[in-house]
Amino acid sequence: MRLRGLCRSRDASRAEVTCRIMAAPRRLFPLRLLLLLPLLGFCRAAAAEDGKDARLPAVCGGGCCPGLVRNGSAVAAQCASRPGARLRGRCCCSGGEAAAAVLGLDLGNCSLQHLCSSFQEASTALLIDLTDNPLEPLPEDAFRSFTHLQTLALPLTLDCPGGNEGWDNVTVQGSSRICHGQRNPCNGSGGLGHLCPKDSSCTPNGPGLPQCLCASPHYGYKCLRQGTFPYLLFFGTLGAVTIALSLLLWVTQRRKAKIS
């Protein structure tokens, strides 16, 4: 309204009116920018914090059990003794934010009856605490690929995975069973190395879980094939059969449509 009165009194041209209208916001722009800077900084900090939580493995956050590592637990002591390691959620992690490796996992006193779906994310852990949980008997392959695991604390009702022969030392402490020192199931003491077929080697794949890997250039069932897998022949044949079946179905359906 004020601008209109000014224009009428001075009989300003349309160009002058346009210039004055555009000039008014420009005067306020630096002030608005100064007011928005703190808000932009807060938003950037919040986004960075959200990104940090997004990179946290699900097994360390609420994927298995919400909360933090318990004070005085073995995982907390492990993290305090390792340079560069720090506590994140229920885990002790090493490495950067984008490539954090789980060194320890504390799921004690979480009222767990089964292992959560994200439990395999802790396959790099050296120490896992599952005590004080009403866990049901675990599947035999629950710790498959946990080749670095050296200490596992379980409720007393559960046995060590792989049996006592899969560990150097098994002790009972109160209501907990401690499995310490994972043994290699492929050596002579485990008695499993001879199960692998010829042209393959036995490698550990978790507590009491060996696996047989074919030696190059062997592959396939019992490592009986040699050379490389015939990808071109396989996918070429598969593509030709798919095209032939598609043409057959198209011709058949087209004939039915004409008849009807």
Side-chain angles (χ1 to χ4, degrees):
M1 297 299 293
R2 184 178 179 182
L3 181 59
R4 290 180 180 177
L6 180 62
C7 294
R8 288 176 182 176
S9 62
R10 295 186 179 183
D11 194 15
S13 64
R14 183 176 298 178
E16 291 175 345
V17 173
T18 304
C19 291
R20 292 186 180 186
I21 292 174
M22 295 178 64
R26 290 180 181 176
R27 296 174 183 175
L28 297 177
F29 179 75
L31 180 59
R32 292 178 180 176
L33 181 59
L34 291 175
L35 293 175
L36 288 175
L37 283 177
L39 180 61
L40 291 175
F42 174 79
C43 293
R44 289 186 63 183
E49 190 65 25
D50 291 341
K52 184 184 297 184
D53 294 339
R55 289 189 291 267
L56 182 67
V59 70
C60 302
C64 280
C65 180
L68 304 174
V69 173
R70 298 172 296 172
N71 293 330
S73 68
V75 175
Q78 175 205 42
C79 225
S81 63
R82 294 184 69 91
R86 63 190 187 92
L87 297 175
R88 297 186 64 192
R90 284 276 177 173
C91 294
C92 171
C93 298
S94 68
E97 295 290 345
V102 178
L103 298 177
L105 176 63
D106 179 15
L107 295 180
N109 195 21
C110 288
S111 301
L112 297 177
Q113 294 183 345
H114 308 278
L115 296 179
C116 57
S117 58
S118 58
F119 184 73
Q120 285 292 325
E121 293 180 349
S123 60
T124 58
L126 304 173
L127 168 64
I128 296 179
D129 189 346
L130 296 174
T131 57
D132 300 323
N133 285 303
L135 283 169
E136 297 182 0
L138 302 176
E140 293 183 359
D141 61 345
F143 293 90
R144 185 175 299 277
S145 76
F146 285 69
T147 56
H148 303 282
L149 187 61
Q150 289 302 312
T151 303
L152 174 63
L154 296 170
L156 190 58
T157 55
L158 298 182
D159 295 327
C160 295
N164 291 352
E165 61 275 9
W167 301 85
D168 293 332
N169 189 17
V170 178
T171 59
V172 174
Q173 298 180 5
S175 60
S176 304
R177 190 184 308 275
I178 310 299
C179 318
H180 183 71
Q182 182 182 168
R183 290 179 178 175
N184 186 346
C186 297
N187 60 19
S189 61
L192 297 175
H194 67 279
L195 296 180
C196 289
K198 184 181 178 182
D199 300 319
S200 68
S201 58
C202 178
T203 59
N205 196 24
L209 297 172
Q211 63 177 343
C212 299
L213 299 180
C214 296
S216 181
H218 299 272
Y219 71 95
Y221 177 70
K222 291 187 177 182
C223 305
L224 296 177
R225 298 178 179 271
Q226 295 189 38
T228 58
F229 185 79
Y231 291 100
L232 182 60
L233 178 62
F234 175 79
F235 289 108
T237 304
L238 180 63
V241 172
T242 303
I243 294 174
L245 290 176
S246 300
L247 290 175
L248 178 61
L249 291 173
W250 180 75
V251 172
T252 304
Q253 296 299 323
R254 188 176 182 183
R255 287 180 178 177
K256 290 184 178 179
K258 288 183 178 180
I259 295 175
S260 60

